[in-house]
Amino acid sequence: MKLLHIDSSIREENSVTRSLSAELVKQWCKIYPDATVERLDLAIDAPNHFNNDSLGVKYGLQDKPTERQRVENAISEKLLTQFLATDVIVMGVPLYNFTVPTQLKAWIDRLAQPGRTFKYVDGAAVGLAGGKTIIVAMARGSIYSTTEIGQAKEHQETYLKVMFGFFGITDLRFVRAEGISVSPDAMRTGVKNGHAEVAALIAEEAKVLSWKERALAS
């Protein structure tokens, strides 16, 4: 099993999502000790925002690409190859201005390639990157998940569901730490709830694995 651990928070030791994603990876590897972990920190090593030079991956490189176009295409190819080779992706994703960090979107823009992660059949989109598990550890300054107004304002979880669903990925799981900017008490509660959701997700995965192992042994 190949696991890709991604963080996108621009904060370091004070990042809630980094703490949650690290705990998820640690506990996941206890269940699957054979997992190999690869690291991608988009706050440190983010690709350039999508531009005209990097657009060639979507429409085919011109006959004589410029040096800049070759460099940008190589970056996209490296990130996409890494993504396609991965079985499980654990992501730390904070909410910035109601959506995901631009560094994370720049990464996703590189993955969206026709014939690689999606295609169109009779006018309908078909995802080509299914079979993966994606677990997203999210942090939010306010509380969005419990009301219709809050759910309408956030474009973090909804965006990721749409994009990875477009790629054909159906096993998409979320853990949430909410209200971390409301007050010190709310932050402690939000972080505690986030780690509780991590524990519940891991416990459920261990239960499913145990059931699969018993089924194979019978």
Side-chain angles (χ1 to χ4, degrees):
M1 175 188 294
K2 293 184 178 180
L3 186 152
L4 178 59
H5 179 193
I6 300 175
D7 275 314
S8 57
S9 171
I10 59 176
R11 304 179 73 187
E12 296 180 0
E13 67 276 1
N14 294 321
S15 169
V16 174
T17 58
R18 286 177 181 272
S19 173
L20 291 174
S21 71
E23 183 66 16
L24 277 164
V25 172
K26 177 182 176 181
Q27 297 303 326
W28 189 273
C29 289
K30 286 183 178 179
I31 302 174
Y32 299 100
D34 63 333
T36 58
V37 179
E38 193 167 356
R39 189 80 168 91
L40 178 59
D41 192 333
L42 292 172
I44 296 173
D45 190 22
N48 293 328
H49 288 153
F50 216 49
N51 55 45
N52 193 53
D53 289 327
S54 54
L55 196 60
V57 296
K58 288 186 179 292
Y59 300 107
L61 292 176
Q62 60 191 50
D63 291 339
K64 294 181 179 180
T66 65
E67 179 60 24
R68 186 70 249 167
Q69 289 171 330
R70 284 194 290 268
V71 168
E72 291 293 336
N73 184 68
I75 293 170
S76 297
E77 185 62 26
K78 177 182 177 181
L79 293 172
L80 179 58
T81 299
Q82 180 186 52
F83 172 77
L84 292 175
T86 299
D87 303 300
V88 179
I89 300 173
V90 174
M91 306 172 63
V93 183
L95 181 73
Y96 291 163
N97 300 316
F98 304 104
T99 189
V100 301
T102 60
Q103 293 89 339
L104 179 63
K105 186 179 186 302
W107 175 72
I108 292 174
D109 285 340
R110 301 295 180 130
L111 306 182
Q113 295 188 28
R116 307 290 294 281
T117 51
F118 71 93
K119 65 180 179 179
Y120 287 99
V121 178
D122 297 329
V126 177
L128 301 177
K132 302 180 188 302
T133 295
I134 296 183
I135 307 170
V136 185
M138 301 184 299
R140 297 163 172 178
S142 188
I143 297 175
Y144 294 84
S145 64
T146 58
T147 65
E148 289 186 6
I149 293 176
Q151 292 166 7
K153 287 181 177 179
E154 71 85 11
H155 304 286
Q156 173 198 41
E157 183 172 340
T158 50
Y159 169 71
L160 295 174
K161 283 179 177 178
V162 169
M163 284 306 309
F164 289 120
F166 183 69
F167 295 161
I169 299 169
T170 57
D171 187 3
L172 188 59
R173 315 177 199 182
F174 295 91
V175 299
R176 307 171 187 86
E178 296 191 290
I180 62 172
S181 297
V182 173
S183 68
D185 285 343
M187 179 177 183
R188 285 189 287 271
T189 298
V191 172
K192 181 180 178 180
N193 289 342
H195 281 282
E197 290 193 15
V198 168
L201 184 150
I202 292 297
E204 182 62 27
E205 182 65 24
K207 185 188 301 183
V208 170
L209 177 62
S210 177
W211 179 85
K212 289 180 179 178
E213 289 175 340
R214 289 198 303 270
L216 289 173
S218 62

